Amino acid sequence: MQRYIFKLKDPLPAGTSDRIQVTWHYDYYDAPNNSTTNQTVTFRAANAQTVDQALTTTWTATTDVVIEKSGPTNPSNYPAAGGERTYKLRYGYQ
């Protein structure tokens, strides 16, 4: 859980409105598609009613995959037909 506090102008003039946008990135590779996170925002001011807002975010997972084939580049060194080849699979940001 993370908590962010934004201190606004004091006193807060009547009729004031604004928007706060928090952009974040998940740095791990273990969030399956359709995972969810819950956010709750509370706005408090001495001269205003407290406002709570809850939101659930559903994640869309994507995968970045690279398949690399390595081996000799000279035809005389190619393996025989049906011979063994080596492939390397990498995932995540390349």
Side-chain angles (χ1 to χ4, degrees):
M1 180 169 146
Q2 294 181 353
R3 182 177 181 188
Y4 298 98
I5 298 176
F6 296 92
K7 295 199 179 220
L8 303 176
K9 186 176 181 179
D10 185 16
L12 188 63
T16 297
S17 65
D18 205 345
R19 176 180 166 185
I20 296 173
Q21 179 174 336
V22 178
T23 303
W24 60 285
H25 176 78
Y26 185 72
D27 291 324
Y28 306 101
Y29 301 109
D30 59 352
N33 202 39
N34 295 319
S35 294
T36 59
T37 53
N38 301 311
Q39 300 84 31
T40 302
V41 176
T42 302
F43 179 82
R44 288 189 188 97
N47 60 344
Q49 290 183 340
T50 297
V51 177
D52 291 309
Q53 177 76 40
L55 174 70
T56 298
T57 302
T58 302
W59 296 42
T60 301
T62 60
T63 303
D64 184 10
V65 176
V66 172
I67 298 176
E68 177 183 307
K69 180 173 121 177
S70 60
T73 56
N74 184 334
S76 64
N77 294 328
Y78 288 170
E84 194 172 303
R85 298 297 307 160
T86 300
Y87 293 89
K88 186 185 300 181
L89 173 66
R90 295 191 315 251
Y91 64 93
Y93 292 102
Q94 304 302 315

